[in-house]
Amino acid sequence: MLLEDGVAAVHLEAIGAHDPVDVTGAGDTVMRLTPCACFRFFFSDAARIANYAGGLVVMKRGTASVNLDELETQYITSTWSSR
């Protein structure tokens, strides 16, 4: 959930598998990507992108990361991007 002063709360759905493979690094991914995305997007869009990246990371084993190409490809082909 994203909370901003003077703006309606935004609920962010879980992205990816309902049974994560490994949650190592998912929070780090979200925390790292959110401020970066804020430079180019509204907070709500940045939070959705960061949440999506975290969802991709939990589907990988061990400490993992998501690169921009992977994030873009998965986002474009997902049903989430049409919400």
Side-chain angles (χ1 to χ4, degrees):
M1 179 174 289
L2 175 66
L3 302 173
E4 293 181 74
D5 287 338
V7 179
V10 176
H11 178 15
L12 302 170
E13 295 291 329
I15 303 300
H18 291 284
D19 296 318
V21 173
D22 190 336
V23 297
T24 304
D28 294 338
T29 300
V30 172
M31 294 306 294
R32 175 75 174 163
L33 191 57
T34 302
C36 296
C38 285
F39 285 108
R40 301 191 74 184
F41 302 100
F42 292 109
F43 287 132
S44 58
D45 294 330
R48 283 185 178 95
I49 292 166
N51 186 51
Y52 195 81
L56 292 175
V57 166
V58 300
M59 293 187 281
K60 299 178 178 184
R61 288 207 182 280
T63 304
S65 62
V66 176
N67 64 46
L68 184 57
D69 290 336
E70 179 182 13
L71 181 59
E72 185 177 71
T73 299
Q74 293 296 324
Y75 175 78
I76 289 170
T77 60
S78 76
T79 57
W80 177 81
S81 64
S82 63
R83 291 184 188 170

